[in-house]
Amino acid sequence: MRIRDLPQGMLDGALPAYEGPSEGPVYPTVIQQAKMNMRKFENCVLLTRMGGFYELYLEHAEEYGPLLNLKVATKKTTAGPVAMVAGFPFFQLERFLKILVQDLNKYVAISEEFPNNASEKVKSGGLLFDRKVTRVITPGTLVDEKFMNPYENNFILAMHPESLDLESSSRASGIEEGNMSAANAKQRIGLAWLDLSTGAFFTQLTTLDVLASGIARIRAREIVLSKIINHKMKQCILTLLGHEQHLVTWHPGFPIDMGIIDWDPMLETPVSHAERGIFTENEVLAGNILLEYVSDKLQGRAMKLQPPVKRHEAENMCIDRNSLRGLEILETFRDATSGGRGSLLHAIRRTVTKSGARLLRERLASPSMSLEIINHRLDLVERFQQNQSLNADITNLLRRTFDSERLVQKFSLGRGDADDLVSLQRTVVATEHIANVLREALDGKHGFDSTDIDTKDCLFLVLRSLSLKGPSELALRISEAIDEDGLIASHREERIQSSGVITMAQGILNEEGDEEDLQAMSQVVRSKTVAKSSSPASGDEEDLWIMRRTASSILERLHETLDSLRAEKLSLTTRLRSEMEAQSLTLRWTPGLGHICHVKGTKDVRASLANHGSARNGSTTKSTRAFYLSEWSTLGGRMDQVKMQMRAEEQRVFFELRELVVTNLVKLRRNAAVLDELDVACSSAVLATEQNFVRPILNIGTTHKIIAGRHPTVKLGLEEQGRAFISNDCFVGDKQNVWLITGPNMAGKSTFLRQNALISILAQVGSFVPAEHAEIGIVDQMFSRVGSADNLFEDQSTFMVEMLETASILKHATPRSFVIMDEVGRGTTPEDGIAVAFASLHHLYHTNHCRTLFATHFHVLADMTNDWKGVGCFCTDVSESSSGSFSYVHRLRHGVNRKSHALKVAKLAGMCVVPLFVSGAYKSQVFLILRLALLLGFSGPFKSYQSWNPRSKSNMQRERKVAKIE
């Protein structure tokens, strides 16, 4: 187009008024910064540092202020009143993070202060500090927060499913373990999870039908999913996750172009080329999502994770989520706290280190299936049990160690401080002593026979796993550099310096806080008071240094220079006291006045000042005099300059030590893993001695031979009540792979089922077991159908939940599995219940061929399976006296007990007499009918359930005959 082609002349009509971009109210710069950060991190609660406080602003103040029990104040600005929280002291950050992150499952963005230079001050309108978000804290990305559970890993999990085309007939409510189509059930899903506090990193390929069990085993605090997965897959996963109320985070990114080679900058050592091929595409994509998400929350901070470990389902016993809950392995039904009283973990834990407790918990959730690994663990336990002095020596040394696994990870994230260095140094020293004790044991100095090669082998493998050369040099360097006395004094000084903030916070809490807030402040206030009372009153305060003067040659030279300047200061003080005849004169520095000469008392020194031409008056009070002297100002300035150089050099030495820790990262982590293994082995030996556990014999067969087995937790509970536990034998899986167990209520059927499952788990964990003898074939999957509960939120009754769990067992159990079923078929009519129980028993026996303990009150099942050679019938009993009293006989015997004695249990529970009498009369009639039916010829073996069906023609005739007899 040419210019002359454009329209010429006057424009018709007036130009519309220009409307610039709509701008909101103009807030003060600080609040505007907070508003921008709130917009950038829109799904986070923003905590902004303001001097000695953290504050919330605007809508965050209104929403979260009441939840944090903070009074919401209103601040007047040019844009109008702005809601803002008065804030909380910076030293209470951990307390409020616990409420927000751990209790409320919120994401928190921490905005810290950064000093502005001259040009930045002009740009910001004179602000001394700029405020930037340095980290986003989520439940799954905790690093060293004090409210973390030290005895449990803090995992964050990412999942990547295959591109799925779920069948259109599938409903979200039908996506359950044991209730999904075969095509959907085998859809593969890549898992990747890590613990940012320890650096542990894992991947696994699983399928949709066992996904819930895998998640229950990992127990992730946060689950990350990509937003781009299809809707049906999203529904399916959320349905599986909904039962446990997991926190799900939707990550917008999907780094499909990343590969394992792109993980190397975030790992302590790169993944070798040969190992890259073992990770599937789904695992890599899940790892990409996980690492990108974590990196985003760390706001660019570098991290060094351990190389990813690929988990294979064939390497560990699979304990489905129902069994984890039903067997109370990690927690009980009553208390959802991990390791709570009554759980297996609580009963067997004797570890003395936090990381050792985490390892024990991990092993309980995923017992090994490798005979080599299990026997190595058992060898260690046996050696420590045989030699109590060696066990005691190792245990005492382990008590001196710190959680080096998490300490090392803090340094890899650039968060470790001098206290952490000291803790790490002490841990390395204790590790050196442990290595010496192991060497002495191998040399025969702890009671071992030096000619017995087998007893030394496991200890030699442990000793060989320790890497001490680099860590020992690091520990020596730390001990030579850090002055622990100075470190303690510096902490006391920090409390003194924060006294102003504490006093202010105390006033706020007195006005607005509750009793809990005041109690949280009391310890800090007490320590502040003690520190103040112990501070020198002379005003000539000694400088505190956390590094020894010999930490570096530069630091040593600077200390010598400072000593020389202090000598000059002392000489000047002496001379001035003499010239002015004022023995109370001191040379000081104060924040408000700078370098001054301070004189106590009312002595007039103005005449003496006239002799010093460079002197000038300063502040004067009724009891003190202060004046400036050029000699002291010059000398003080030189001392300040040297101190600044010393601070900088101390900082340089500290960073050098941190780099040395990162350099020895691999060795330190390897040593930490060895210490954890020793802790678990020593604690297992202590447990075996206390509870008379025995070493199990494991093989690749399918036997389960237990002599005098005991329930590890029930036994402890009975002993506390002064009662004895009755042990029982179990020989399932050899000639009889199914035991059908009948007997009264409260007579120990469920206990017997659970104790044999727990014995198998303990054996494959590598622990001794509660029995007199145990020979166990390796179990690949542990299943339990025990207890009762509904899921009304998902529209599932108690019976429906039971059927879903039963269906899952029947679909997944293999000949190497161990199954316990307790009262399957209850909660419906007797006919339907017997049908369900018989169908389950039939499938387990004829299809699954697995070791099964089947407890039931349907006594007729014993008759229906009478011709099954692989089914053994055992029962418990009740012993009744002539006076009417009774006691339970918990010892199992061969046979079938056709009495459940439920009315006796009701009577023990305190049920009133009349209903019991009525129900007892009705019950006697029912049993009369059943007994007569059996006497009329219905006592032979049953080929199928249909042959016994009470609605069949032949059985209806029998019922009519019974009615005539009555």
Side-chain angles (χ1 to χ4, degrees):
M1 178 180 291
R2 292 172 295 182
I3 295 179
R4 63 174 175 266
D5 295 331
L6 295 174
Q8 303 295 319
M10 297 285 293
L11 294 175
D12 296 334
L15 287 173
Y18 172 72
E19 296 181 1
S22 178
E23 296 182 358
V26 180
Y27 295 109
T29 308
V30 173
I31 299 180
Q32 190 66 33
Q33 286 179 341
K35 188 174 179 63
M36 292 174 61
N37 285 330
M38 290 166 61
R39 189 180 299 118
K40 183 178 180 181
F41 301 92
E42 58 183 358
N43 64 333
C44 300
V45 181
L46 181 69
L47 299 180
T48 304
R49 181 71 179 263
M50 288 290 292
F53 290 82
Y54 282 100
E55 295 182 345
L56 296 110
Y57 299 99
L58 306 172
E59 57 266 24
H60 285 183
E62 295 175 346
E63 181 177 357
Y64 298 106
L67 294 176
L68 298 176
N69 200 23
L70 296 173
K71 184 178 179 180
V72 180
T74 301
K75 182 177 182 180
K76 294 182 179 179
T77 68
T78 56
V82 175
M84 59 173 289
V85 176
F88 56 86
F90 69 93
F91 50 78
Q92 286 193 317
L93 176 63
E94 292 273 350
R95 173 172 175 257
F96 289 98
L97 281 179
K98 179 183 182 299
I99 297 174
L100 290 169
V101 179
Q102 183 166 286
D103 300 339
L104 301 177
N105 279 337
K106 299 298 181 182
Y107 310 143
V108 179
I110 305 295
S111 179
E112 298 288 356
E113 294 178 330
F114 296 89
N116 281 330
N117 56 33
S119 61
E120 291 171 340
K121 285 181 184 178
V122 175
K123 293 179 182 179
S124 63
L127 287 181
L128 297 177
F129 297 96
D130 186 19
R131 290 166 181 83
K132 301 177 183 177
V133 173
T134 58
R135 184 184 168 204
V136 177
I137 302 175
T138 70
T141 57
L142 303 177
V143 176
D144 59 349
E145 282 68 26
K146 295 178 182 178
F147 55 83
M148 290 178 63
N149 186 350
Y151 304 106
E152 186 175 351
N153 286 102
N154 195 81
F155 285 124
I156 178 172
L157 168 70
M159 294 188 290
H160 174 73
E162 279 185 324
S163 298
L164 294 183
D165 185 16
L166 293 179
E167 297 179 5
S168 58
S169 60
S170 297
R171 297 182 305 157
S173 60
I175 304 296
E176 286 286 344
E177 291 189 36
N179 189 29
M180 62 178 71
S181 68
N184 294 338
K186 296 306 176 184
Q187 295 290 348
R188 295 184 298 177
I189 298 179
L191 304 180
W193 67 98
L194 63 85
D195 184 351
L196 196 57
S197 68
T198 63
F201 185 16
F202 304 95
T203 70
Q204 182 178 343
L205 183 67
T206 187
T207 54
L208 189 59
D209 58 341
V210 295
L211 175 62
S213 297
I215 294 174
R217 183 179 66 255
I218 296 170
R219 290 174 64 90
R221 285 295 314 280
E222 184 178 359
I223 297 176
V224 183
L225 295 172
S226 175
K227 284 185 176 180
I228 68 171
I229 64 174
N230 65 65
H231 177 69
K232 290 181 179 178
M233 189 67 229
K234 185 183 300 185
Q235 270 190 318
C236 177
I237 293 178
L238 290 180
T239 301
L240 290 174
L241 297 178
H243 298 288
E244 307 298 333
Q245 300 298 316
H246 292 284
L247 173 64
V248 178
T249 301
W250 297 99
H251 185 52
F254 186 67
I256 194 171
D257 55 340
M258 285 179 60
I260 293 185
I261 192 172
D262 298 305
W263 297 0
D264 290 349
M266 293 173 276
L267 304 177
E268 63 182 20
T269 55
V271 180
S272 65
H273 182 74
E275 293 177 341
R276 292 174 190 168
I278 67 174
F279 298 96
T280 64
E281 180 182 0
N282 290 325
E283 290 174 281
V284 174
L285 291 174
N288 292 344
I289 295 172
L290 179 63
L291 294 178
E292 185 179 83
Y293 177 81
V294 172
S295 298
D296 177 66
K297 300 311 170 189
L298 292 177
Q299 291 294 293
R301 183 176 297 165
M303 60 178 170
K304 291 294 180 182
L305 303 172
Q306 300 178 39
V309 177
K310 181 179 175 65
R311 289 286 179 84
H312 298 274
E313 292 183 352
E315 293 177 348
N316 301 93
M317 178 199 294
C318 177
I319 308 175
D320 72 323
R321 65 172 178 179
N322 300 318
S323 300
L324 277 173
R325 181 174 58 248
L327 296 175
E328 298 183 311
I329 296 174
L330 303 177
E331 60 192 25
T332 63
F333 282 116
R334 300 173 302 279
D335 183 8
T337 304
S338 179
R341 182 180 177 83
S343 66
L344 177 63
L345 178 58
H346 178 270
I348 70 169
R349 188 172 66 193
R350 301 292 187 277
T351 51
V352 297
T353 67
K354 299 170 183 176
S355 53
R358 292 197 299 269
L359 177 61
L360 177 60
R361 185 204 169 281
E362 178 186 344
R363 289 183 178 180
L364 281 175
S366 299
S368 177
M369 288 180 59
S370 169
L371 283 175
E372 181 182 358
I373 293 175
I374 296 172
N375 285 325
H376 171 68
R377 295 173 182 174
L378 292 173
D379 288 342
L380 277 176
V381 176
E382 186 174 16
R383 298 303 175 258
F384 288 128
Q385 187 194 35
Q386 291 175 350
N387 196 318
Q388 297 296 323
S389 63
L390 175 63
N391 192 344
D393 289 343
I394 297 293
T395 302
N396 289 333
L397 289 171
L398 287 171
R399 294 182 191 275
R400 303 181 192 177
T401 64
F402 293 82
D403 195 347
S404 56
E405 196 176 32
R406 285 185 168 171
L407 285 176
V408 169
Q409 182 65 7
K410 286 176 65 176
F411 285 106
S412 72
L413 293 170
R415 292 175 60 87
D417 55 21
D419 294 286
D420 296 325
L421 285 174
V422 173
S423 299
L424 195 59
Q425 180 263 339
R426 292 176 179 175
T427 302
V428 174
V429 172
T431 306
E432 292 173 341
H433 291 322
I434 289 174
N436 293 332
V437 171
L438 293 176
R439 289 192 189 95
E440 292 177 0
L442 290 171
D443 292 338
K445 295 181 180 180
H446 274 81
F448 287 115
D449 185 358
S450 59
T451 62
D452 191 348
I453 303 300
D454 291 336
T455 57
K456 297 188 297 183
D457 188 47
C458 60
L459 297 180
F460 174 75
L461 291 175
V462 171
L463 182 60
R464 189 177 63 179
S465 300
L466 291 172
S467 301
L468 292 173
K469 184 178 180 181
S472 296
E473 295 173 356
L474 170 65
L476 180 62
R477 180 75 180 99
I478 293 174
S479 62
E480 291 176 346
I482 295 183
D483 183 1
E484 294 189 37
D485 293 333
L487 190 60
I488 295 173
S490 67
H491 291 325
R492 185 166 57 246
E493 182 66 20
E494 288 172 1
R495 291 195 294 269
I496 296 173
Q497 291 176 357
S498 62
S499 60
V501 177
I502 295 174
T503 303
M504 185 186 304
Q506 185 73 17
I508 295 174
L509 292 177
N510 286 333
E511 295 180 3
E512 305 175 4
D514 55 16
E515 185 177 353
E516 182 182 355
D517 297 321
L518 293 172
Q519 289 177 353
M521 281 283 296
S522 60
Q523 183 176 358
V524 180
V525 174
R526 286 196 302 269
S527 62
K528 178 203 70 171
T529 305
V530 173
K532 275 191 168 184
S533 62
S534 61
S535 60
S538 64
D540 191 12
E541 298 178 0
E542 187 72 17
D543 294 295
L544 301 174
W545 311 100
I546 63 172
M547 296 292 173
R548 299 182 189 275
R549 59 191 304 154
T550 57
S552 72
S553 58
I554 297 176
L555 202 56
E556 189 172 11
R557 177 173 52 81
L558 289 173
H559 270 285
E560 292 175 354
T561 303
L562 184 61
D563 290 342
S564 176
L565 293 175
R566 282 174 175 165
E568 291 185 32
K569 176 185 175 182
L570 181 60
S571 176
L572 178 60
T573 302
T574 303
R575 180 167 60 85
L576 291 176
R577 287 175 177 176
S578 175
E579 292 177 354
M580 299 184 180
E581 298 180 354
Q583 295 301 314
S584 63
L585 184 144
T586 57
L587 303 180
R588 297 184 175 185
W589 178 88
T590 64
L593 299 176
H595 293 93
I596 59 171
C597 300
H598 184 270
V599 179
K600 283 186 178 180
T602 57
K603 180 177 177 60
D604 190 358
V605 295
R606 285 179 292 179
S608 302
L609 290 179
N611 299 328
H612 296 272
S614 59
R616 58 188 178 88
N617 285 322
S619 64
T620 302
T621 66
K622 294 181 178 179
S623 58
T624 62
R625 301 285 187 271
F627 60 90
Y628 295 95
L629 192 65
S630 60
E631 291 181 77
W632 167 230
S633 299
T634 303
L635 179 60
R638 291 167 57 195
M639 293 179 68
D640 290 343
Q641 186 176 9
V642 173
K643 290 178 183 179
M644 289 178 60
Q645 294 175 355
M646 293 172 67
R647 300 290 182 198
E649 179 62 16
E650 279 198 343
Q651 193 75 356
R652 188 196 66 79
V653 173
F654 174 73
F655 283 125
E656 179 185 279
L657 293 175
R658 278 210 312 204
E659 290 177 1
L660 284 176
V661 173
V662 176
T663 302
N664 289 276
L665 202 60
V666 177
K667 294 180 179 179
L668 290 169
R669 280 176 170 162
R670 186 182 305 159
N671 293 345
V674 174
L675 295 182
D676 295 344
E677 184 175 6
L678 287 172
D679 189 18
V680 173
C682 290
S683 66
S684 298
V686 171
L687 175 70
T689 302
E690 287 179 359
Q691 302 296 326
N692 295 320
F693 286 10
V694 298
R695 175 171 180 162
I697 302 171
L698 289 106
N699 53 57
I700 59 174
T702 57
T703 60
H704 183 86
K705 299 179 181 179
I706 306 297
I707 298 177
R710 308 181 296 275
H711 194 295
T713 59
V714 174
K715 178 178 178 294
L716 292 177
L718 290 177
E719 288 177 348
E720 290 181 358
Q721 302 173 26
R723 300 164 59 191
F725 184 90
I726 304 300
S727 59
N728 274 299
D729 302 340
C730 183
F731 303 102
V732 69
D734 189 6
K735 296 180 180 180
Q736 298 172 332
N737 65 317
V738 176
W739 274 25
L740 185 64
I741 304 168
T742 56
N745 296 102
M746 290 289 293
K749 299 189 304 297
S750 299
T751 299
F752 177 75
L753 266 61
R754 287 175 168 90
Q755 77 185 32
N756 283 281
L758 295 179
I759 286 174
S760 295
I761 292 172
L762 286 175
Q764 291 184 220
V765 163
S767 169
F768 283 22
V769 298
E772 291 184 4
H773 175 80
E775 185 176 345
I776 302 171
I778 292 292
V779 176
D780 64 349
Q781 298 180 84
M782 179 64 66
F783 296 103
S784 71
R785 163 80 283 284
V786 296
S788 62
D790 54 32
N791 186 4
L792 298 182
F793 182 78
E794 297 291 339
D795 194 24
Q796 294 172 358
S797 66
T798 302
F799 186 74
M800 182 60 178
V801 171
E802 178 181 317
M803 291 301 97
L804 288 171
E805 295 178 3
T806 303
S808 177
I809 294 173
L810 299 181
K811 287 185 178 181
H812 296 107
T814 70
R816 302 189 64 84
S817 300
F818 194 96
V819 174
I820 62 172
M821 283 198 166
D822 192 7
E823 300 183 24
V824 172
R826 62 185 171 183
T828 184
T829 62
E831 295 88 352
D832 291 344
I834 292 173
V836 169
F838 179 77
S840 302
L841 195 59
H842 186 281
H843 196 281
L844 289 168
Y845 181 78
H846 290 284
T847 304
N848 300 110
H849 305 290
C850 55
R851 288 161 281 185
T852 303
L853 300 179
F854 198 101
T856 183
H857 286 288
F858 298 136
H859 315 122
V860 72
L861 291 178
D863 302 310
M864 298 170 69
T865 59
N866 190 41
D867 61 341
W868 297 1
K869 296 181 179 179
V871 175
C873 293
F874 296 85
C875 64
T876 55
D877 211 337
V878 165
S879 176
E880 298 183 85
S881 65
S882 57
S883 63
S885 63
F886 69 94
S887 62
Y888 291 108
V889 180
H890 297 94
R891 183 82 64 186
L892 256 69
R893 61 175 176 84
H894 283 280
V896 180
N897 191 333
R898 300 184 184 275
K899 294 183 179 180
S900 294
H901 298 279
L903 298 185
K904 290 183 173 62
V905 177
K907 187 176 181 181
L908 287 176
M911 194 170 176
C912 57
V913 178
V914 175
L916 284 178
F917 176 78
V918 174
S919 61
Y922 175 74
K923 180 182 175 185
S924 63
Q925 295 177 12
V926 174
F927 272 108
L928 175 61
I929 293 173
L930 292 177
R931 289 194 189 97
L932 290 174
L934 291 173
L935 289 173
L936 288 173
F938 193 67
S939 58
F942 298 95
K943 301 301 181 182
S944 67
Y945 172 73
Q946 182 60 32
S947 66
W948 179 82
N949 190 337
R951 292 301 165 206
S952 65
K953 184 177 180 180
S954 59
N955 289 332
M956 292 290 288
Q957 294 173 352
R958 291 190 182 98
E959 289 184 7
R960 285 194 291 270
K961 292 180 181 179
V962 170
K964 291 180 181 179
I965 294 175
E966 287 185 316

